[in-house]
C-alpha cells in the first residue's frame, strides 16, 4: 500500500526541516502560508493518507480527487484533510498553490472536547467547502491571528490557537450546515445511537495492510457491540440517516474498496480479504452491484 505520509514527511517534503519537539507526545500544531513551501510545483499531488489533519484556505481554482469523487473549486474554498480519506489535487489556472493551511495531530486536541466528532471531520463527506470572497477574507484574518499567536511569547498561546481553530470550524459549520449530511434529524436517543454506530464503523478504518481485516460486517455485529437489539439499531439509523444499517455498512465498505483500488498495488483478492470477504467472487459481485463496474475496470479507468 502507498506509504502513509507522516507529519515528519510533511516537514521534510515541504520545508526540508523537522521541528525538534515534534515527537514529544504533546500534540503538534503549526500554520503556514503556501508561499512558505519549497515544493510548490503545479504537478498534481498524488493520492496520500496522513497521520495528521490539515485545514487549508485555498485561493484559486483546483481539482480535488477523493476516490471516485472529483470536486472543482471556485476562487475560494476551505478544505479539511482527514487522515482517513486520501486525496489528491491539481491546480487549474495557477503556477503554484496560494492560500494558507494549519496542520495538527489528533493529540493536539486531547481533552479539549469532542472536536474531531464534528461533522466536517466525518470521512463520509467530501470536506471541500466553497466560500465567498467576504468569507475568505474572514478566514484569512483567522490565519493571520494564528501567525501572530504562534510567534508570540504568550505562555498559553497553544490554548489560544485551539480557540482559533474552534472558531474556524464553527464558522464553517454555520456557513455550510448541510455538511452534517450523515445525520439528517435531531432525534435525541436515536441520534446518540447513530453517532455511536458511526464511530464504531469508522474505528475499523483505514485498512493499512493486507493482514488487517474488517470484522464487524453485519447489523447484528454492530448491535451486539452497542448492546442494543438489532431492530432498535435499524430503526434509529433509518430515522436519523434515511438508510438501513446494511446500507450504511455497504456504503463505507465500498468507499474503502475504491480507495484501496486507486491508492494501493494490492491485488483484488488481497483487498477482498482485508474487507472481510471470504471469497473474491463475493467481493466482485458486491462491487459490481454497488458501483455498476467491476473492481478491475474501476482501477484502470
Amino acid at each position: 500500500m502507498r506509504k502513509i505520509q507522516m507529519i515528519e514527511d510533511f516537514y521534510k517534503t515541504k520545508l526540508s526541516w523537522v521541528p525538534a519537539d515534534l515527537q514529544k507526545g504533546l500534540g503538534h500544531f503549526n500554520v503556514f502560508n503556501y508561499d512558505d513551501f519549497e515544493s510548490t510545483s503545479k504537478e498534481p499531488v498524488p493520492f496520500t493518507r496522513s497521520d495528521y489533519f490539515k485545514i487549508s484556505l485555498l485561493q484559486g481554482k483546483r481539482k480535488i480527487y477523493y476516490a471516485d469523487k472529483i470536486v472543482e473549486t471556485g476562487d475560494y474554498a476551505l478544505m479539511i484533510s482527514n487522515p482517513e480519506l486520501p486525496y489528491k489535487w491539481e491546480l487549474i489556472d495557477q503556477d503554484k498553490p496560494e492560500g494558507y493551511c494549519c496542520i495538527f495531530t489528533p493529540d493536539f486536541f486531547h481533552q479539549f472536547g469532542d472536536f474531531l466528532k464534528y461533522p466536517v471531520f466525518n470521512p463520509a463527506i467530501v470536506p471541500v467547502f466553497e466560500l465567498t470572497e467576504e468569507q475568505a477574507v474572514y478566514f484569512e484574518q483567522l490565519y493571520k491571528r494564528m501567525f501572530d499567536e504562534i510567534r508570540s511569547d504568550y505562555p498559553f498561546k497553544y490554548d489560544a490557537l485551539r480557540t482559533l481553530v474552534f472558531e474556524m470550524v464553527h464558522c464553517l459549520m454555520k456557513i455550510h450546515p448541510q455538511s452534517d449530511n450523515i445525520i439528517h434529524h435531531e432525534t435525541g436517543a436515536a441520534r446518540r445511537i447513530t453517532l455511536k454506530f458511526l464511530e464504531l464503523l469508522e474505528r475499523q478504518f483505514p485498512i493499512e495492510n493486507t493482514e488487517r481485516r474488517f470484522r464487524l460486517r453485519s447489523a447484528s455485529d454492530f448491535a451486539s457491540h452497542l448492546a442494543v437489539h438489532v431492530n432498535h439499531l435499524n430503526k434509529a439509523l433509518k430515522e436519523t440517516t434515511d438508510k438501513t444499517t446494511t446500507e450504511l455498512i455497504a456504503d463505507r465498505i465500498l468507499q474503502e474498496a475504491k480507495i484501496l483500488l486507486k491508492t494501493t498495488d494490492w491485488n483484488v483478492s488481497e483487498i477482498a480479504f482485508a474487507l472481510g470477504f471470504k471469497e473474491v467472487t463475493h467481493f466482485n459481485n458486491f462491487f459490481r452491484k454497488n458501483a455498476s463496474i467491476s473492481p478491475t475496470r474501476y482501477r484502470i479507468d
Side-chain angles (χ1 to χ4, degrees):
M1 180 174 184
R2 186 181 297 278
K3 180 184 175 184
I4 291 178
Q5 185 185 59
M6 310 298 284
I7 196 166
E8 297 98 320
D9 300 326
F10 172 87
Y11 278 99
K12 290 176 182 177
T13 302
K14 300 294 186 182
L15 299 161
S16 298
W17 56 271
V18 178
D21 61 349
L22 190 60
Q23 294 301 330
K24 291 190 176 179
L26 302 176
H28 180 76
F29 179 92
N30 213 338
V31 59
F32 304 95
N33 187 312
Y34 272 105
D35 288 339
D36 297 335
F37 298 151
E38 292 184 358
S39 176
T40 56
S41 168
K42 192 174 180 179
E43 291 298 313
V45 173
F47 274 112
T48 54
R49 264 183 169 135
S50 64
D51 72 339
Y52 57 90
F53 289 85
K54 180 166 68 172
I55 303 179
S56 304
L57 176 62
L58 307 177
Q59 299 173 349
K61 295 180 173 64
R62 306 180 191 202
K63 282 187 178 181
I64 305 173
Y65 303 81
Y66 292 91
D68 63 330
K69 300 179 178 66
I70 302 176
V71 178
E72 187 168 327
T73 69
D75 291 330
Y76 305 100
L78 204 73
M79 182 177 78
I80 297 178
S81 303
N82 188 316
E84 297 183 11
L85 188 61
Y87 71 95
K88 69 177 182 178
W89 56 260
E90 61 182 276
L91 300 171
I92 295 178
D93 58 359
Q94 298 169 272
D95 292 328
K96 64 179 184 178
E98 295 181 9
Y100 305 86
C101 71
C102 62
I103 64 171
F104 55 91
T105 59
D107 287 345
F108 184 70
F109 284 95
H110 181 59
Q111 295 183 336
F112 285 85
D114 291 333
F115 181 74
L116 299 183
K117 292 184 180 179
Y118 290 166
V120 291
F121 291 99
N122 191 312
I125 71 170
V126 176
V128 181
F129 307 92
E130 291 286 343
L131 302 174
T132 65
E133 183 175 2
E134 182 180 3
Q135 292 165 346
V137 169
Y138 174 80
F139 283 109
E140 183 176 12
Q141 292 305 311
L142 287 179
Y143 279 102
K144 289 181 178 179
R145 289 167 60 190
M146 289 181 186
F147 283 116
D148 291 340
E149 205 64 66
I150 204 166
R151 293 166 180 162
S152 75
D153 295 326
Y154 178 51
F156 304 106
K157 64 182 181 182
Y158 287 104
D159 285 344
L161 286 164
R162 290 183 186 94
T163 300
L164 289 171
V165 177
F166 272 113
E167 182 177 348
M168 180 180 294
V169 171
H170 283 293
C171 180
L172 178 62
M173 291 193 297
K174 291 176 182 178
I175 294 172
H176 289 279
Q178 70 273 22
S179 64
D180 190 359
N181 66 352
I182 302 301
I183 301 176
H184 302 301
H185 315 292
E186 298 287 344
T187 55
R191 180 182 176 86
R192 287 193 294 273
I193 291 174
T194 301
L195 288 171
K196 289 180 180 179
F197 165 81
L198 292 173
E199 181 182 3
L200 185 58
L201 179 62
E202 288 304 326
R203 204 180 294 166
Q204 299 186 90
F205 299 100
I207 304 294
E208 296 175 347
N209 60 69
T210 56
E211 301 303 316
R212 182 178 174 183
R213 295 195 69 189
F214 179 72
R215 299 193 179 279
L216 302 181
R217 302 190 73 255
S218 69
S220 59
D221 290 337
F222 281 90
S224 177
H225 277 72
L226 295 171
V228 297
H229 193 279
V230 66
N231 291 341
H232 185 52
L233 176 61
N234 283 325
K235 180 179 179 183
L237 294 179
K238 188 67 175 178
E239 182 179 344
T240 54
T241 70
D242 296 329
K243 290 189 175 183
T244 66
T245 312
T246 300
E247 288 171 338
L248 289 167
I249 296 170
D251 287 349
R252 190 60 182 91
I253 292 175
L254 181 65
Q255 181 188 39
E256 190 70 8
K258 290 177 176 178
I259 289 170
L260 294 174
L261 287 165
K262 289 292 189 181
T263 65
T264 75
D265 58 3
W266 302 356
N267 62 46
V268 174
S269 296
E270 289 172 324
I271 293 173
F273 178 82
L275 292 174
F277 292 88
K278 294 180 179 180
E279 301 288 342
V280 67
T281 53
H282 296 163
F283 173 67
N284 286 332
N285 291 337
F286 165 85
F287 199 92
R288 282 181 180 276
K289 177 182 177 182
N290 290 279
S292 301
I293 191 174
S294 72
T296 302
R297 173 57 61 182
Y298 176 80
R299 168 169 266 170
I300 63 178
D301 280 356

